[in-house]
């Protein structure tokens, strides 16, 4: 049961991190458009891709693991 709980908490942590990165991406894009400057967004997308890959790997791992019998 502990493994399943740690996977869930790790998925929740990844989801929180993705929301933070998306927030800052939108903030930087809005700031850049209001000031008329180019903002480098490549690091944001690279981070989002890495987080999404980790999330997908965890979900795939959970799908492969046999479910524990319910009590």
């Amino acid at each position: 049961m502990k493994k399943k709980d740690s996977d869930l908490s790790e998925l929740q942590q990844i989801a929180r991190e993705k929301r933070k990165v998306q927030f800052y991406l939108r903030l930087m894009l809005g700031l850049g458009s209001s000031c008329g400057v180019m903002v480098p967004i490549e690091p944001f997308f690279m981070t989002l891709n890495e987080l999404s890959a980790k999330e997908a790997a965890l979900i795939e791992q959970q799908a492969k693991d046999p479910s524990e019998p319910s009590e």
Side-chain angles (χ1 to χ4, degrees):
M1 186 69 175
K2 277 199 180 281
K3 174 90 170 116
K4 198 172 200 176
D5 288 342
S6 68
D7 286 348
L8 286 176
S9 65
E10 194 170 351
L11 278 173
Q12 291 170 344
Q13 179 68 25
I14 290 172
R16 278 193 297 270
E17 291 299 318
K18 282 175 64 175
R19 283 194 302 271
K20 284 181 191 177
V21 171
Q22 290 169 344
F23 169 78
Y24 287 116
L25 173 62
R26 285 200 256 2
L27 180 74
M28 293 301 288
L29 288 174
L31 208 84
S33 66
S34 68
C35 296
V37 297
M38 294 289 290
V39 176
I41 57 173
E42 185 70 24
F44 290 101
F45 286 116
M46 286 174 48
T47 304
L48 282 173
N49 284 337
E50 289 171 6
L51 288 170
S52 294
K54 285 181 186 177
E55 184 179 38
L58 273 175
I59 291 172
E60 185 177 320
Q61 181 183 4
Q62 284 181 350
K64 285 183 181 179
D65 288 344
S67 58
E68 295 178 0
S70 57
E71 296 177 15

